[in-house]
Every structure is written in C-alpha cells, then in structure tokens.
C-alpha cells in the first residue's frame, strides 16, 4: 500500500487498484477510482522496484490531473490564478502548475546549474584539484537544493501538498496496523524523491570527464536511476521503524516534505484508502467517480474513523452499521459506490448514536438470533450469540422426547429462546417474565415469527400452580451487583438493570431456581441454564441437592456457558 500527494488531496495505490480523493470547490471530499492492467507496485525485484516506484509516482500525479472532476477549493491569495484561468478558459490547476513549473525551472536553473557552474569555473581557474572542486560543487548543490526546499515551506500551496503527503502516511500506517510517532514514513514518495535528488546532485557533480554531451547525459541519467534504486532499498530498511537510528535517517529529509495535516486532509487520505481496500476485496466492484451525492468510500472512511475514535475497534462494526442504516445485506455494503444525501444522513444519525456506545441492536431495534430477526428495545436484553447455544441445547433435549414435550422459558425477556424452541420443535412452549414491558416485546416477536407460545406474567414460578414441565430453560440475570458499574457502556446504559443484576454474588436466581424448579419439573425432567463464564462450579454445587447428571458445557470461546441437569 502506497500513498501519493496530489493537488488538494491524496492518492492511494495497491496492486492494480488506484483511488484519488480531493476536496472539491464546495469544500466536500470527492473521489475517483480506477484499475490499471498491471500491478506496478508489486514489483519484487530489488533495485528495479525503486525505479518502478519513481515512474509510478509521476504517473499517478498526471492521472490525478487528467480527471475533469478534479477541482480545487480556492483559498486566500489564489484569486489571481482564478482570473487567469477564466480568461484563458482553462482549469485553475493548469495555471497553478504552469506558474509553479516556470518558477521551479528558473530557480533550478540559476540555483542548481548556473551558480554552481560559475563557482566551478572560478575555482578551477585558481588551480584547485578537479575532484576537490567537484566535492565543493556537490556540497553547494545539495545545500542550495535544501534551501530551495525549505523556502517552499513558506508557499501555501506547497504546505498544503506537504500536509496531504503526511495524511497519506498516516492512512497507510493505520492500514498496516502501525503507529507513527510523527507523520513521517521512510518510503513515502516525496521523501524518496528528495532523498534521490539530494544524492543524485551530490554524485553527478563528480562526473567531470570531458566527453560528448550526449554520452555525458546518458551517464548522468544512468547514475541518477541507479541512485534512486539504491535509495529505495535503503529507505525500505526503515519502514515503520521508530528507533533512534531510523529517526536520524528519516526525519531530517521527511521534514522537508511533510507537515501535520488537518482533519479534513486526514479524512481525504483515509477516503482514498478505504476505496482501494474495497477494490482489492471485491474484484467486481464498479470503479469510477463517486457519482451524484457522496462517494461511498468517503462515508465508509468517516464511519470507521469515528468509531475508532469512540473506542470501537471491531472491523465489522462499520459494515453492520451501514447495512442496518440502509436496510441492505452486509455483503452488499462494499459494492456501494455512492450514497444519496438521504442515505448519508441515515448513516450519520446512526453513527452519532453508536459513538455514544448505543448497541446497533438498540439503534435499529432489531437483533438476529438463530437466523431470525427480533424486535428489541430498552425493556429487554439484546440477545447474545452465546445464548443460541442454550436454545440449541434445549432443542436437542426436546427432540429426544417421544411425546409433545412441555417446555418453560423462565425469565424470557425478548422471547428469543421460547420462540426458537417453538419453531424448531413439536413442543408446547410457555414463556414467563416479571416485566410487563418485556412480555409485550416477546409477544410482538412471537406474532412476527408466527410462533405459538403461551406467555405468563410471573415473578419466577409464582404464576404457575399445577404445571409440570419436561424442560425448564432460563437465561437469568447473573452479574454481581457490584460489577455492574464496570460493564461496558453498551450493556449497563442500554440493557435493563433487571436483566443484569444477579444479586450480591451473581447467584441469587440460580439459588431460587435450584430450590423451586424441581416442584415444576416432571420426574427426570431437564434443567438448562445459561451461566457466567466463572460460575460453572458454583452453580453445579447449588444444583447437587435436587439434580443429578450435572454437566457444564462450553461456548464458542471455550468458556463455561451452559449447565444441563436432570431432576432426581
């Protein structure tokens, strides 16, 4: 993955994928992507890859200028360029580049050729050794080049280029999972070019043989290309290194080509990065301009960066949030190329809530469980993936029974366990909860999934008199009261306390169930409980008086999660 600064933006390239992002005349980030026939940057041959990198960097800059959509946001002091552009009927970029090119050529000619040549002739006339003079000229040229580069830091448009350059560095480092102490990167294109020119001016100064101009030009060209290839290999040794020696090598030259970027410039670079990542992940992805509205990669990058800033680092979060906001499948997300203003607004509204650590299930009021969608709100616990194992275990036990089994889902909450059992087995299913609000949610879910479940408002077993069940299943609250404040905000702020608080030691409801459940179980009936990952031994001990064949089963992560026991 490589980054390249372009006019008012950044370009990112990987494999055959290219993306250019910039700030348009309206101050919004725009984007264009394309694919090359060959993966230039994947050249593995040492030394030749440095030449390929140099040529590709020039190519990507020219490619960025060829886009008719590629606009520049006019800043202070640029009205002169705008006026000339209107009179000549050309892009302001053409005017800027022409003026910069002419000034650069004049400064380069006088500063790096004419002045050194004058001193070279003067020193030779004084009888100094030829190679001593060449050494002095080499130092002079390098010194003048560094002075020119330092002076460019006072030119607003160049400082903007340097900020975009640094933004690209930060984007690439983030993608590689690296952290930069500064915004410098050893193989950054501008850093590489400046290193190459500094060493080229120094070495070429020693090519002083009196030979044909054409041959001398070829020799100089060969020397310069050789130096660039060596420089690339040298700088590769310090890629993503933060030790002292790496800083001594990289930072002085990188200072000439980088400046701390603004937030907008960072977002621009990350937008280009996101597009390239999407292109590499999806061969069939349509490439081109962002189209009408907002380029998807711009929104995608914004979502990922804001989630990361909020401390949400799970890679799939951005995909799920966007998919939910747009009511599309997660697999469709990365095929999007642009968003309408309305779609972008939906995503931003959802993102603002997620930044406050509201779970995606509570933002959109639905959760997936056992392949089905369920309504959830503030009155019920959002079902966890591990709870599917509880439902699965219950289904397995129910299918062992010959007659139509009678099953109770105690403390049902959103009803997902009871509804799943009803739909997956030939069972008579009851579901109870102390919360009227939770039961309303559970009834809504049963109706939406066409499940036959008998709901009972009950504090534990108080709503039942003579019923006897083949299986009682429950996912009771099991968090110790003192640990609730330490839970993630997603849980403690958005799940009801009644669904979390398991008493002083987290075992209150297990004690109640251990004592009361036998009365409501048939002989040989099964008890299936979800437990906390450290509660296996404690719950087993509580059940030993009234239950036998007590088994503790693991979840997907290898933690204790389910207890299965048979009534004595």
């Amino acid at each position: 993955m490589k980054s390249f600064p372009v006019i008012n933006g950044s370009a990112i390239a990987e494999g055959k994928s290219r993306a250019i992002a910039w700030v348009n005349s309206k101050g919004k980030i725009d984007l264009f992507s394309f694919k090359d026939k060959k993966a230039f940057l994947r050249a593995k041959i040492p030394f030749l890859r440095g030449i390929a990198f140099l040529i590709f960097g020039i190519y990507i800059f020219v490619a960025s200028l060829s886009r008719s959509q590629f606009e520049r946001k006019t800043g202070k002091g640029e009205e002169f360029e705008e006026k000339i552009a209107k009179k000549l009927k050309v892009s302001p970029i053409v005017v800027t580049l022409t003026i910069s090119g002419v000034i650069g050529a004049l400064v380069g000619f006088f500063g790096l050729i004419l002045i050194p040549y004058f001193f070279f002739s003067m020193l030779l006339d004084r009888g100094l050794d030829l190679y001593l003079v060449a050494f002095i000229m080499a130092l002079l040229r390098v010194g003048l080049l560094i002075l020119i580069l330092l002076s460019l830091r006072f030119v607003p448009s160049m400082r903007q280029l340097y900020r975009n350059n640094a933004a690209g560095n930060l984007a690439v480092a983030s993608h590689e999972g690296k952290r930069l102490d500064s915004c410098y990167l050893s193989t950054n294109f501008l850093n590489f070019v400046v290193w190459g020119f500094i060493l080229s001016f120094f070495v070429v100064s020693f090519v002083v043989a009196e030979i044909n101009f054409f041959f001398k030009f070829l020799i100089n060209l060969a020397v310069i290309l050789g130096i660039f290839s060596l420089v690339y290999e040298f700088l590769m040794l310090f890629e993503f290194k933060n030790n002292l020696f790496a800083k001594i090598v990289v930072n002085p030259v990188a200072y000439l080509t980088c400046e701390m970027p603004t937030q907008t410039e960072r977002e621009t670079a990350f937008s280009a990065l996101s597009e390239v990542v999407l292109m590499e992940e999806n061969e069939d992805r349509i490439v081109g301009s962002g189209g009408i509205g907002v380029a998807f990669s711009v929104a995608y990058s914004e979502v990922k960066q804001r989630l990361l800033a909020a401390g949400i680092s799970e890679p799939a979060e951005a995909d799920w949030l966007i998919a939910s906001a747009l009511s599309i499948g997660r697999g469709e997300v990365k095929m999007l190329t642009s968003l309408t203003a309305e779609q972008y607004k939906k995503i931003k509204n959802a993102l603002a809530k997620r930044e406050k650590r509201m779970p995606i299930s509570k933002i959109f009021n639905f959760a997936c469980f056992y392949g089905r969608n369920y309504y959830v709100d503030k009155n019920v616990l959002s079902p966890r993936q591990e709870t599917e194992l509880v439902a699965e275990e219950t289904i397995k036990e129910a299918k062992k029974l010959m007659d139509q089994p009678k099953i109770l889902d105690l403390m049902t909450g959103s009803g997902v366990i009871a509804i799943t059992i009803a739909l997956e087995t030939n069972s008579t299913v009851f579901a109870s909860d102390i919360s009227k609000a939770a039961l309303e949610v559970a009834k809504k879910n049963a109706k939406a999934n066409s499940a036959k479940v008998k709901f009972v408002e009950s504090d534990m077993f108080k709503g039942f008199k003579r019923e006897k069940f083949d299986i009682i299943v429950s996912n009771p609250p099991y968090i110790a009261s003192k640990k609730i404040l330490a839970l993630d905000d997603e849980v403690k702020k958005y799940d009801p306390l009644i669904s979390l608080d398991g008493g002083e030691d987290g075992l209150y409801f297990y004690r109640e169930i251990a004592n009361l459940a036998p009365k409501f179980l048939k002989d040989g009936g099964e008890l299936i409980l979800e437990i906390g990952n450290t509660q296996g031994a404690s719950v087993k001990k509580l059940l030993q008086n009234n239950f036998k064949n007590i088994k503790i089963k693991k979840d997907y992560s290898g933690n204790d999660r389910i207890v299965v026991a048979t009534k004595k």
Side-chain angles (χ1 to χ4, degrees), residues 448-491:
N449 285 281
S450 302
K452 293 183 179 180
V453 178
K454 298 179 181 180
F455 292 99
V456 178
E457 184 181 340
S458 174
D459 179 4
M460 296 295 288
F461 294 98
K462 290 179 181 178
F464 300 95
K465 301 301 181 185
R466 299 187 184 90
E467 285 86 352
K468 290 279 188 178
F469 300 96
D470 295 286
I471 300 172
I472 295 175
V473 58
S474 184
N475 177 18
Y478 54 70
I479 307 297
S481 301
K482 61 186 177 183
K483 293 183 178 180
I484 287 177
L485 289 178
L487 294 173
D488 291 339
D489 285 349
E490 283 93 337
V491 178

Side-chain angles (χ1 to χ4, degrees), residues 222-335:
V223 169
I224 290 171
L225 291 176
I227 287 170
F228 271 93
S229 64
L230 287 169
V231 164
Y232 186 80
E233 300 303 321
F234 177 70
L235 293 178
M236 282 286 289
L237 299 174
F238 304 102
E239 191 75 288
F240 300 119
K241 299 292 193 303
N242 283 319
N243 57 58
L244 180 60
F245 185 60
K247 290 178 181 179
I248 291 172
V249 171
V250 176
N251 290 12
V253 174
Y255 171 78
L256 300 172
T257 61
C258 292
E259 186 170 309
M260 192 58 67
T262 64
Q263 185 60 35
T264 298
E265 286 154 350
R266 289 173 188 246
E267 290 173 4
T268 304
F270 275 93
S271 297
L273 174 72
S274 292
E275 178 64 20
V276 166
V277 171
L278 292 172
M279 290 168 69
E280 287 292 288
E281 290 179 352
N282 301 278
E283 283 293 326
D284 298 328
R285 181 174 173 76
I286 299 172
V287 297
S289 64
I292 299 172
V294 180
F296 173 71
S297 295
V298 174
Y300 190 55
S301 174
E302 179 184 356
V303 171
K304 290 199 293 185
Q305 293 306 308
R306 285 175 60 179
L307 287 177
L308 196 61
I312 303 168
S313 57
E314 173 59 41
E317 280 276 343
D319 295 1
W320 283 119
L321 187 142
I322 293 170
S324 301
L326 301 183
S327 300
I328 61 176
R330 185 187 167 197
E332 299 175 68
V333 168
K334 293 183 179 179
M335 299 305 292

Side-chain angles (χ1 to χ4, degrees), residues 8-111:
N8 209 33
S10 295
I12 301 289
E14 171 72 357
K16 298 178 183 179
S17 305
R18 323 280 180 244
I20 303 165
W22 66 94
V23 179
N24 63 28
S25 57
K26 296 179 181 179
K28 302 294 184 182
I29 298 173
D30 212 340
L31 184 139
F32 177 77
S33 60
F34 60 100
K35 280 185 176 284
D36 279 323
K37 292 182 179 180
K38 294 184 178 180
F40 297 104
L41 293 180
R42 286 185 178 165
K44 300 296 184 183
I45 303 174
F47 304 108
L48 289 182
R49 58 188 176 183
I51 305 300
F53 186 43
L54 176 65
I55 295 170
F56 183 81
I58 297 169
Y59 156 71
I60 201 74
F61 187 81
V62 173
S64 72
L65 297 179
S66 68
R67 299 308 309 162
S68 59
Q69 306 101 313
F70 200 90
E71 308 171 75
R72 189 174 71 171
K73 186 182 177 184
T74 305
K76 291 183 178 180
E78 295 177 346
E79 295 86 354
F80 174 69
E81 297 167 12
E82 291 287 325
K83 289 178 181 178
I84 294 177
K86 287 180 180 179
K87 285 184 179 180
L88 298 178
K89 296 181 179 181
V90 296
S91 168
I93 298 171
V94 174
V95 177
T96 301
L97 290 177
T98 301
I99 293 173
S100 300
V102 171
I103 293 173
L106 289 173
V107 171
F109 177 75
F110 283 101

Side-chain angles (χ1 to χ4, degrees), residues 366-376 380-392 394-395 409 411-424 429 431 433 438 441-446 449 451 453 455 473 475 530:
F366 83 87
C368 186
F369 185 87
Y370 218 80
R372 300 180 181 92
N373 286 334
Y374 292 87
Y375 175 84
V376 293
V380 295
L381 190 76
S382 295
R384 271 51 167 182
Q385 188 179 21
E386 292 83 357
T387 305
E388 291 187 356
L389 295 174
V390 177
E392 198 169 273
T394 309
I395 291 166
D409 176 17
M411 293 179 277
T412 192
S414 60
V416 295
I417 294 177
I419 293 166
T420 301
I421 295 167
L423 293 173
E424 297 292 330
V429 181
D433 205 288
V441 172
K443 289 176 184 177
K444 182 175 182 177
N445 282 325
N449 285 281
V453 178
F455 292 99
V473 58
N475 177 18
E530 180 170 334

Side-chain angles (χ1 to χ4, degrees), residues 131-151:
Y131 287 100
L132 175 60
V133 173
F135 178 71
I136 296 172
M137 289 303 97
L139 293 178
L140 179 61
R141 279 177 170 157
V142 169
L144 288 171
L145 177 60
I146 292 172
L147 284 175
I148 291 170
L149 291 170
L150 284 171
S151 66

